[in-house]
């Protein structure tokens, strides 16, 4: 578990993603992002800037609805990406202070982490897969997964990265086995049902576990990164 508080974690993710985006060509900024159907790289950045702006102005009460995310993107459609990044930086200085307060939500932090890799995947630029934000996201998501499995009454499951146990009962007959990064992407809806099911061992009904694992999704089609 990372020792970063949520404000510091958000800042780390924002700075990592912003540094990546500043290196991109106009063609790359216009490239479609398969993990976010209908959005370009510029649109993803616009959404993130919009979340911070909406939060500071009292327009964010949880995970944005599709109408709100669409507005975040459309309002910035004609802005240069460099301007959107500066807007995000200005809003984030206050937003990060709010996130550092006790009992703040972790959703904005996870949103930045997920979208960084949406962009990297779209452009074939893998990297930053050892980010502490991924560890933060996995710890919370896998705790929730194991709790859901217990409540659903399906056989117990252990989650492993190779031989390393990440969550669950080591004696469980069912295993979900994948590298950390693959688990992170699956949990947040960046892998298809079929891609996720193939990672399960010891069960002939892997589909029963997929909705318990995924916070969002799964993706409607395979996503290869």
């Amino acid at each position: 578990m990372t020792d970063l508080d949520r404000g510091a974690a958000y800042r780390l993710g924002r700075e990592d993603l912003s540094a990546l985006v500043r290196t991109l060509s106009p063609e790359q900024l216009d490239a479609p992002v398969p993990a976010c159907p209908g959005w370009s790289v510029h649109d993803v950045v616009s959404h993130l800037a919009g979340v911070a702006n909406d939060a500071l102005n009292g327009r964010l009460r949880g995970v944005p609805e599709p109408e709100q995310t669409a507005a975040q993107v459309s309002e910035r459609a004609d802005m240069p990406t460099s301007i959107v990044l500066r807007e995000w930086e200005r809003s984030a200085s206050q937003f990060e202070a709010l996130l550092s307060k006790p009992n703040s939500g972790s959703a904005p932090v996870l949103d930045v982490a997920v979208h960084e890799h949406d962009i990297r995947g779209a452009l074939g630029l893998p990297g930053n897969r050892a980010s502490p934000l991924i560890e933060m996201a996995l710890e919370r998501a896998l705790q929730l997964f194991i709790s859901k499995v217990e409540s659903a009454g399906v056989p117990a499951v252990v989650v492993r990265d190779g031989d390393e146990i990440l969550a669950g009962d080591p004696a469980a007959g069912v295993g979900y086995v994948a590298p950390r990064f693959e688990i992170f992407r699956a949990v947040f809806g960046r892998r298809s049902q079929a891609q996720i099911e193939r990672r399960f061992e010891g069960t002939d009904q892997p589909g029963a576990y997929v909705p318990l694992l995924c916070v969002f999704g799964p993706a409607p089609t395979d996503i290869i990164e």
Side-chain angles (χ1 to χ4, degrees), residues 34-124:
C36 303
W39 282 6
S40 67
V41 171
H42 173 86
D43 294 337
V44 174
V45 179
S46 295
H47 158 64
L48 291 168
V51 167
N53 185 280
D54 285 347
L56 291 180
N57 288 284
R59 296 190 294 267
L60 194 67
R61 294 290 182 266
V63 177
E65 296 294 329
E67 295 80 7
Q68 189 171 17
T69 58
Q72 292 162 353
V73 170
S74 64
E75 288 166 4
R76 296 163 178 83
D78 296 326
M79 293 184 185
T81 309
S82 59
I83 299 298
V84 178
L85 286 174
R86 285 202 288 273
E87 177 200 358
W88 189 19
E89 183 177 14
R90 287 194 302 271
S91 299
S93 63
Q94 299 176 64
F95 189 35
E96 287 155 11
L98 293 176
L99 289 172
S100 291
K101 292 182 177 180
N103 302 316
S104 66
S106 61
V109 179
L110 306 184
D111 198 35
V112 175
V114 170
H115 284 312
E116 175 185 349
H117 293 284
D118 292 342
I119 290 172
R120 287 184 176 278
L123 299 177

Side-chain angles (χ1 to χ4, degrees), residues 135-208:
E135 291 300 313
M136 179 184 288
L138 279 180
E139 181 173 7
R140 287 162 171 74
L142 293 181
Q143 287 173 350
L144 180 61
F145 174 48
I146 297 304
S147 175
K148 287 180 177 180
V149 168
E150 293 171 351
S151 298
V154 295
V157 62
V158 60
V159 181
R160 303 196 319 269
D161 176 356
D163 293 331
E164 181 182 356
I165 294 174
L166 304 182
D169 180 359
V174 178
Y176 178 57
V177 184
R180 277 174 166 78
F181 182 75
E182 286 298 310
I183 300 171
F184 165 68
R185 297 300 279 162
V187 163
F188 292 98
R190 270 57 182 180
R191 296 293 183 266
S192 69
Q193 177 98 10
Q195 285 177 302
I196 298 170
E197 287 186 8
R198 287 196 291 269
R199 297 286 185 173
F200 279 92
E201 301 175 350
T203 177
D204 58 2
Q205 295 183 314

